[in-house]
Amino acid sequence: MAQQKHWLKDRVRTVSDADRVLDELEERLKLQGLLLSPHNDFSILALPNRSAYVQQCQIDEAIWLFTQMPEKNAVSWTTIINGYARVGKLHEAEQVLNKMPFKNVGAQTAMISGYIQNRRMDEAHRIFEKIGTPDVVCWNTMIAGYAHCRRVDEALNLLKWMPQKNIASWNNMIFGYAQTGQMGKAVAIFEEMGEKNLVSWNTLISGFTQNGLFTIAVATFLLMVQDGKKPDQSTFVSGLCSCANLAALEIGNQLHQTVVKSGYANDLFVSNALISMYAKCGRILSAEYVFKYIDSIDVISWNSLISGYASNGNVEKTVKIFQEMTVKGVKPDGVTFVGLLSACSHSGLVDEGLNLFRSMTEKHLIEPVAEHYACMVCLLGRAGGLEEAFQMVREMKIEPTAGIWGALLYACRVYGNLEIGRVAAEKLSKLEPHKSSNYVLLSNLNAEAGRWDEVESMRILMTDRGAEKQPGWSWI
């Protein structure tokens, strides 16, 4: 720190020198995406952990320089507020704001942004109400904040009061509705807005994908192209993800060709989406081909390939890729082990699965989540270890999910364990009261045990709770 001060002292001898150095700091923050821009949609929360990109030495440097300035202008005050806010020192940021002799909208918006990044919308709104005439960036910052915090009604209320809306205003609302699963309202906003940019289309397509409306997502992708918009990284990722979940190989192949023509073949996110798409469509060799030609492979690339081989039933290759991954020094994460445990579960490799689970928790210090436990319950249950599976469910640190109880109930159905099956079915009836398959499994379990009165009770209970049997469907 002393060296930094000495370095600055040599550079800062006049007010103009101080302004210049602060401008340089501001540029560094802008390059790291830390200052608001009226041209960037979702500018305040595009990277939830963006404060991690600010090195503490930069903030200390700015604060020291700020205290040495004989005269301070709006840029210097705003830069310090931004700096404090981005490293989570919101109290200090607001103290600086309160001392500011000539508060402007930019400084107040920076304070609002800091509160929003920490999901403190009420404090952000308190600052917003003090602003006499908010500009468009300030309005959009508040709307985006409410949207990201899933408080879409308040976001919509602000949008209605906003005197001059721009595309970012509407895009923030589309995002908010998509976040809360209200895609009908998202579409209504999309249709209501006049001009639409690429972000508008991407937000809508991503919303469809995230909410499981994969067919509509692909159709919207095609409409966007017909509208004359060129797909970018985000568009391709959403489109490929939808194709993966639909097992729509032909459309996925066409998207791959468009990716190459558009110059995104070397984009890491798009490549990872391609791996996942080919793997889920059963074209694992195509997935591996894409993997081999990625310039900078990350953990998501490895996970996509591991999950691909796991879902295609090749447990030996799954484990081999995991070993290659660790040899190359890539640190596995929770998703890695979901793929590995899933492979062991489908292949009935109980000992290997237990060893991997222990390795995950003890060696790699990864805390198990519901997906890991579901794989383990499925693994033990398929091997007939119902008591061990039931004990794991009772001793797990998290609240068992429907997926975990469902895996246990299915195993009970296979091995005819009515006692544990009843417990699992009772839990499922509370978590998924309208899902008919849970009632059907327990009903079949009772039928095999000759308990026909219980079978009839299940049918009556299904009717009372409105659980209708889902019709079968096929792509053929």
PDB file of all heavy atoms in Angstrom, residues 36 105-106 108-109 112 116 127-128 131 133-144 158 162:
ATOM      1  N   LEU A  36     -22.082   1.712 -14.649  1.00  0.00           N
ATOM      2  CA  LEU A  36     -23.311   1.669 -15.422  1.00  0.00           C
ATOM      3  C   LEU A  36     -23.102   2.270 -16.801  1.00  0.00           C
ATOM      4  O   LEU A  36     -22.330   3.201 -16.979  1.00  0.00           O
ATOM      5  CB  LEU A  36     -24.404   2.465 -14.705  1.00  0.00           C
ATOM      6  CG  LEU A  36     -24.828   1.893 -13.349  1.00  0.00           C
ATOM      7  CD1 LEU A  36     -25.745   2.899 -12.658  1.00  0.00           C
ATOM      8  CD2 LEU A  36     -25.526   0.580 -13.522  1.00  0.00           C
ATOM      9  N   VAL A 105     -27.459  12.523 -10.410  1.00  0.00           N
ATOM     10  CA  VAL A 105     -28.158  11.263 -10.653  1.00  0.00           C
ATOM     11  C   VAL A 105     -27.180  10.113 -10.820  1.00  0.00           C
ATOM     12  O   VAL A 105     -27.433   8.995 -10.369  1.00  0.00           O
ATOM     13  CB  VAL A 105     -29.062  11.377 -11.904  1.00  0.00           C
ATOM     14  CG1 VAL A 105     -29.758  10.052 -12.183  1.00  0.00           C
ATOM     15  CG2 VAL A 105     -30.094  12.470 -11.711  1.00  0.00           C
ATOM     16  N   GLY A 106     -26.019  10.385 -11.427  1.00  0.00           N
ATOM     17  CA  GLY A 106     -25.043   9.314 -11.640  1.00  0.00           C
ATOM     18  C   GLY A 106     -24.548   8.722 -10.340  1.00  0.00           C
ATOM     19  O   GLY A 106     -24.468   7.494 -10.193  1.00  0.00           O
ATOM     20  N   GLN A 108     -26.077   8.868  -7.374  1.00  0.00           N
ATOM     21  CA  GLN A 108     -27.194   8.200  -6.694  1.00  0.00           C
ATOM     22  C   GLN A 108     -27.529   6.868  -7.360  1.00  0.00           C
ATOM     23  O   GLN A 108     -27.857   5.886  -6.687  1.00  0.00           O
ATOM     24  CB  GLN A 108     -28.406   9.136  -6.686  1.00  0.00           C
ATOM     25  CG  GLN A 108     -28.204  10.342  -5.770  1.00  0.00           C
ATOM     26  CD  GLN A 108     -29.258  11.415  -5.992  1.00  0.00           C
ATOM     27  OE1 GLN A 108     -29.498  11.846  -7.120  1.00  0.00           O
ATOM     28  NE2 GLN A 108     -29.885  11.857  -4.915  1.00  0.00           N
ATOM     29  N   THR A 109     -27.413   6.823  -8.688  1.00  0.00           N
ATOM     30  CA  THR A 109     -27.647   5.564  -9.402  1.00  0.00           C
ATOM     31  C   THR A 109     -26.587   4.526  -9.043  1.00  0.00           C
ATOM     32  O   THR A 109     -26.880   3.341  -8.923  1.00  0.00           O
ATOM     33  CB  THR A 109     -27.664   5.800 -10.922  1.00  0.00           C
ATOM     34  OG1 THR A 109     -28.657   6.780 -11.232  1.00  0.00           O
ATOM     35  CG2 THR A 109     -27.975   4.516 -11.674  1.00  0.00           C
ATOM     36  N   ILE A 112     -27.641   3.120  -5.800  1.00  0.00           N
ATOM     37  CA  ILE A 112     -28.780   2.216  -6.033  1.00  0.00           C
ATOM     38  C   ILE A 112     -28.274   0.874  -6.564  1.00  0.00           C
ATOM     39  O   ILE A 112     -28.685  -0.196  -6.112  1.00  0.00           O
ATOM     40  CB  ILE A 112     -29.765   2.851  -7.039  1.00  0.00           C
ATOM     41  CG1 ILE A 112     -30.507   4.020  -6.380  1.00  0.00           C
ATOM     42  CG2 ILE A 112     -30.765   1.817  -7.556  1.00  0.00           C
ATOM     43  CD1 ILE A 112     -31.340   4.842  -7.337  1.00  0.00           C
ATOM     44  N   ILE A 116     -28.735  -2.923  -5.091  1.00  0.00           N
ATOM     45  CA  ILE A 116     -29.397  -3.955  -5.892  1.00  0.00           C
ATOM     46  C   ILE A 116     -28.519  -5.193  -6.026  1.00  0.00           C
ATOM     47  O   ILE A 116     -29.010  -6.320  -5.949  1.00  0.00           O
ATOM     48  CB  ILE A 116     -29.773  -3.395  -7.279  1.00  0.00           C
ATOM     49  CG1 ILE A 116     -30.896  -2.373  -7.146  1.00  0.00           C
ATOM     50  CG2 ILE A 116     -30.200  -4.519  -8.220  1.00  0.00           C
ATOM     51  CD1 ILE A 116     -31.236  -1.650  -8.429  1.00  0.00           C
ATOM     52  N   ILE A 127     -33.220   5.378  -1.893  1.00  0.00           N
ATOM     53  CA  ILE A 127     -32.362   6.338  -2.602  1.00  0.00           C
ATOM     54  C   ILE A 127     -33.086   6.875  -3.839  1.00  0.00           C
ATOM     55  O   ILE A 127     -33.040   8.069  -4.137  1.00  0.00           O
ATOM     56  CB  ILE A 127     -31.030   5.672  -3.014  1.00  0.00           C
ATOM     57  CG1 ILE A 127     -30.270   5.159  -1.785  1.00  0.00           C
ATOM     58  CG2 ILE A 127     -30.164   6.643  -3.815  1.00  0.00           C
ATOM     59  CD1 ILE A 127     -29.796   6.235  -0.844  1.00  0.00           C
ATOM     60  N   PHE A 128     -33.771   6.001  -4.545  1.00  0.00           N
ATOM     61  CA  PHE A 128     -34.476   6.382  -5.780  1.00  0.00           C
ATOM     62  C   PHE A 128     -35.511   7.472  -5.511  1.00  0.00           C
ATOM     63  O   PHE A 128     -35.659   8.413  -6.298  1.00  0.00           O
ATOM     64  CB  PHE A 128     -35.144   5.139  -6.377  1.00  0.00           C
ATOM     65  CG  PHE A 128     -35.902   5.397  -7.647  1.00  0.00           C
ATOM     66  CD1 PHE A 128     -35.233   5.612  -8.844  1.00  0.00           C
ATOM     67  CD2 PHE A 128     -37.292   5.418  -7.659  1.00  0.00           C
ATOM     68  CE1 PHE A 128     -35.934   5.850 -10.024  1.00  0.00           C
ATOM     69  CE2 PHE A 128     -37.995   5.653  -8.824  1.00  0.00           C
ATOM     70  CZ  PHE A 128     -37.313   5.868 -10.011  1.00  0.00           C
ATOM     71  N   ILE A 131     -34.362  11.146  -5.495  1.00  0.00           N
ATOM     72  CA  ILE A 131     -33.899  11.766  -6.745  1.00  0.00           C
ATOM     73  C   ILE A 131     -35.028  12.587  -7.349  1.00  0.00           C
ATOM     74  O   ILE A 131     -36.130  12.074  -7.565  1.00  0.00           O
ATOM     75  CB  ILE A 131     -33.411  10.699  -7.746  1.00  0.00           C
ATOM     76  CG1 ILE A 131     -32.293   9.861  -7.121  1.00  0.00           C
ATOM     77  CG2 ILE A 131     -32.934  11.342  -9.038  1.00  0.00           C
ATOM     78  CD1 ILE A 131     -31.845   8.698  -7.982  1.00  0.00           C
ATOM     79  N   THR A 133     -35.308  14.181 -10.470  1.00  0.00           N
ATOM     80  CA  THR A 133     -35.644  13.789 -11.845  1.00  0.00           C
ATOM     81  C   THR A 133     -34.708  12.670 -12.287  1.00  0.00           C
ATOM     82  O   THR A 133     -33.630  12.925 -12.842  1.00  0.00           O
ATOM     83  CB  THR A 133     -35.522  14.983 -12.808  1.00  0.00           C
ATOM     84  OG1 THR A 133     -36.278  16.079 -12.299  1.00  0.00           O
ATOM     85  CG2 THR A 133     -36.038  14.609 -14.202  1.00  0.00           C
ATOM     86  N   PRO A 134     -35.091  11.403 -12.057  1.00  0.00           N
ATOM     87  CA  PRO A 134     -34.233  10.287 -12.481  1.00  0.00           C
ATOM     88  C   PRO A 134     -34.103  10.254 -13.997  1.00  0.00           C
ATOM     89  O   PRO A 134     -35.061  10.536 -14.720  1.00  0.00           O
ATOM     90  CB  PRO A 134     -34.998   9.052 -11.968  1.00  0.00           C
ATOM     91  CG  PRO A 134     -35.976   9.566 -10.966  1.00  0.00           C
ATOM     92  CD  PRO A 134     -36.321  10.953 -11.389  1.00  0.00           C
ATOM     93  N   ASP A 135     -32.908   9.910 -14.474  1.00  0.00           N
ATOM     94  CA  ASP A 135     -32.732   9.758 -15.916  1.00  0.00           C
ATOM     95  C   ASP A 135     -33.083   8.323 -16.318  1.00  0.00           C
ATOM     96  O   ASP A 135     -33.438   7.485 -15.489  1.00  0.00           O
ATOM     97  CB  ASP A 135     -31.319  10.146 -16.349  1.00  0.00           C
ATOM     98  CG  ASP A 135     -30.242   9.273 -15.711  1.00  0.00           C
ATOM     99  OD1 ASP A 135     -30.587   8.223 -15.127  1.00  0.00           O
ATOM    100  OD2 ASP A 135     -29.058   9.635 -15.790  1.00  0.00           O
ATOM    101  N   VAL A 136     -32.969   8.035 -17.608  1.00  0.00           N
ATOM    102  CA  VAL A 136     -33.392   6.730 -18.116  1.00  0.00           C
ATOM    103  C   VAL A 136     -32.553   5.600 -17.532  1.00  0.00           C
ATOM    104  O   VAL A 136     -33.058   4.504 -17.272  1.00  0.00           O
ATOM    105  CB  VAL A 136     -33.357   6.716 -19.671  1.00  0.00           C
ATOM    106  CG1 VAL A 136     -31.932   6.830 -20.189  1.00  0.00           C
ATOM    107  CG2 VAL A 136     -34.019   5.459 -20.227  1.00  0.00           C
ATOM    108  N   VAL A 137     -31.250   5.848 -17.290  1.00  0.00           N
ATOM    109  CA  VAL A 137     -30.385   4.823 -16.703  1.00  0.00           C
ATOM    110  C   VAL A 137     -30.841   4.493 -15.291  1.00  0.00           C
ATOM    111  O   VAL A 137     -30.900   3.317 -14.891  1.00  0.00           O
ATOM    112  CB  VAL A 137     -28.913   5.281 -16.701  1.00  0.00           C
ATOM    113  CG1 VAL A 137     -28.040   4.252 -16.000  1.00  0.00           C
ATOM    114  CG2 VAL A 137     -28.421   5.490 -18.120  1.00  0.00           C
ATOM    115  N   CYS A 138     -31.207   5.514 -14.531  1.00  0.00           N
ATOM    116  CA  CYS A 138     -31.664   5.305 -13.156  1.00  0.00           C
ATOM    117  C   CYS A 138     -32.967   4.511 -13.127  1.00  0.00           C
ATOM    118  O   CYS A 138     -33.125   3.569 -12.341  1.00  0.00           O
ATOM    119  CB  CYS A 138     -31.842   6.660 -12.468  1.00  0.00           C
ATOM    120  SG  CYS A 138     -32.183   6.521 -10.707  1.00  0.00           S
ATOM    121  N   TRP A 139     -33.927   4.892 -13.974  1.00  0.00           N
ATOM    122  CA  TRP A 139     -35.187   4.152 -14.064  1.00  0.00           C
ATOM    123  C   TRP A 139     -34.919   2.684 -14.422  1.00  0.00           C
ATOM    124  O   TRP A 139     -35.452   1.767 -13.788  1.00  0.00           O
ATOM    125  CB  TRP A 139     -36.093   4.776 -15.124  1.00  0.00           C
ATOM    126  CG  TRP A 139     -36.849   5.990 -14.685  1.00  0.00           C
ATOM    127  CD1 TRP A 139     -36.519   7.295 -14.916  1.00  0.00           C
ATOM    128  CD2 TRP A 139     -38.075   6.019 -13.945  1.00  0.00           C
ATOM    129  NE1 TRP A 139     -37.459   8.140 -14.365  1.00  0.00           N
ATOM    130  CE2 TRP A 139     -38.425   7.386 -13.766  1.00  0.00           C
ATOM    131  CE3 TRP A 139     -38.911   5.041 -13.424  1.00  0.00           C
ATOM    132  CZ2 TRP A 139     -39.577   7.782 -13.086  1.00  0.00           C
ATOM    133  CZ3 TRP A 139     -40.064   5.430 -12.745  1.00  0.00           C
ATOM    134  CH2 TRP A 139     -40.391   6.783 -12.570  1.00  0.00           C
ATOM    135  N   ASN A 140     -34.097   2.457 -15.443  1.00  0.00           N
ATOM    136  CA  ASN A 140     -33.821   1.090 -15.881  1.00  0.00           C
ATOM    137  C   ASN A 140     -33.083   0.276 -14.825  1.00  0.00           C
ATOM    138  O   ASN A 140     -33.271  -0.931 -14.706  1.00  0.00           O
ATOM    139  CB  ASN A 140     -33.014   1.105 -17.188  1.00  0.00           C
ATOM    140  CG  ASN A 140     -33.876   1.432 -18.384  1.00  0.00           C
ATOM    141  OD1 ASN A 140     -35.093   1.249 -18.351  1.00  0.00           O
ATOM    142  ND2 ASN A 140     -33.263   1.931 -19.447  1.00  0.00           N
ATOM    143  N   THR A 141     -32.218   0.960 -14.056  1.00  0.00           N
ATOM    144  CA  THR A 141     -31.509   0.275 -12.981  1.00  0.00           C
ATOM    145  C   THR A 141     -32.500  -0.270 -11.956  1.00  0.00           C
ATOM    146  O   THR A 141     -32.403  -1.422 -11.513  1.00  0.00           O
ATOM    147  CB  THR A 141     -30.518   1.231 -12.291  1.00  0.00           C
ATOM    148  OG1 THR A 141     -29.563   1.675 -13.249  1.00  0.00           O
ATOM    149  CG2 THR A 141     -29.789   0.542 -11.152  1.00  0.00           C
ATOM    150  N   MET A 142     -33.467   0.547 -11.584  1.00  0.00           N
ATOM    151  CA  MET A 142     -34.483   0.116 -10.610  1.00  0.00           C
ATOM    152  C   MET A 142     -35.365  -0.992 -11.180  1.00  0.00           C
ATOM    153  O   MET A 142     -35.651  -1.987 -10.496  1.00  0.00           O
ATOM    154  CB  MET A 142     -35.338   1.311 -10.197  1.00  0.00           C
ATOM    155  CG  MET A 142     -34.667   2.260  -9.223  1.00  0.00           C
ATOM    156  SD  MET A 142     -34.287   1.476  -7.625  1.00  0.00           S
ATOM    157  CE  MET A 142     -35.926   1.051  -7.033  1.00  0.00           C
ATOM    158  N   ILE A 143     -35.793  -0.835 -12.412  1.00  0.00           N
ATOM    159  CA  ILE A 143     -36.653  -1.857 -13.028  1.00  0.00           C
ATOM    160  C   ILE A 143     -35.915  -3.193 -13.130  1.00  0.00           C
ATOM    161  O   ILE A 143     -36.451  -4.243 -12.804  1.00  0.00           O
ATOM    162  CB  ILE A 143     -37.144  -1.391 -14.412  1.00  0.00           C
ATOM    163  CG1 ILE A 143     -38.095  -0.200 -14.266  1.00  0.00           C
ATOM    164  CG2 ILE A 143     -37.837  -2.526 -15.168  1.00  0.00           C
ATOM    165  CD1 ILE A 143     -38.461   0.476 -15.573  1.00  0.00           C
ATOM    166  N   ALA A 144     -34.631  -3.124 -13.571  1.00  0.00           N
ATOM    167  CA  ALA A 144     -33.828  -4.346 -13.672  1.00  0.00           C
ATOM    168  C   ALA A 144     -33.626  -4.975 -12.302  1.00  0.00           C
ATOM    169  O   ALA A 144     -33.667  -6.202 -12.154  1.00  0.00           O
ATOM    170  CB  ALA A 144     -32.471  -4.029 -14.307  1.00  0.00           C
ATOM    171  N   LEU A 158     -43.164   0.607 -11.869  1.00  0.00           N
ATOM    172  CA  LEU A 158     -42.181   1.630 -12.244  1.00  0.00           C
ATOM    173  C   LEU A 158     -42.211   1.889 -13.745  1.00  0.00           C
ATOM    174  O   LEU A 158     -42.097   3.033 -14.196  1.00  0.00           O
ATOM    175  CB  LEU A 158     -40.776   1.194 -11.830  1.00  0.00           C
ATOM    176  CG  LEU A 158     -40.372   1.424 -10.370  1.00  0.00           C
ATOM    177  CD1 LEU A 158     -38.927   0.968 -10.155  1.00  0.00           C
ATOM    178  CD2 LEU A 158     -40.496   2.891  -9.987  1.00  0.00           C
ATOM    179  N   MET A 162     -42.671   5.428 -15.715  1.00  0.00           N
ATOM    180  CA  MET A 162     -41.464   5.917 -16.390  1.00  0.00           C
ATOM    181  C   MET A 162     -41.848   6.843 -17.544  1.00  0.00           C
ATOM    182  O   MET A 162     -42.578   6.446 -18.454  1.00  0.00           O
ATOM    183  CB  MET A 162     -40.666   4.719 -16.917  1.00  0.00           C
ATOM    184  CG  MET A 162     -39.298   5.073 -17.453  1.00  0.00           C
ATOM    185  SD  MET A 162     -38.379   3.558 -17.878  1.00  0.00           S
ATOM    186  CE  MET A 162     -36.844   4.271 -18.474  1.00  0.00           C
TER     187      MET A 162
END
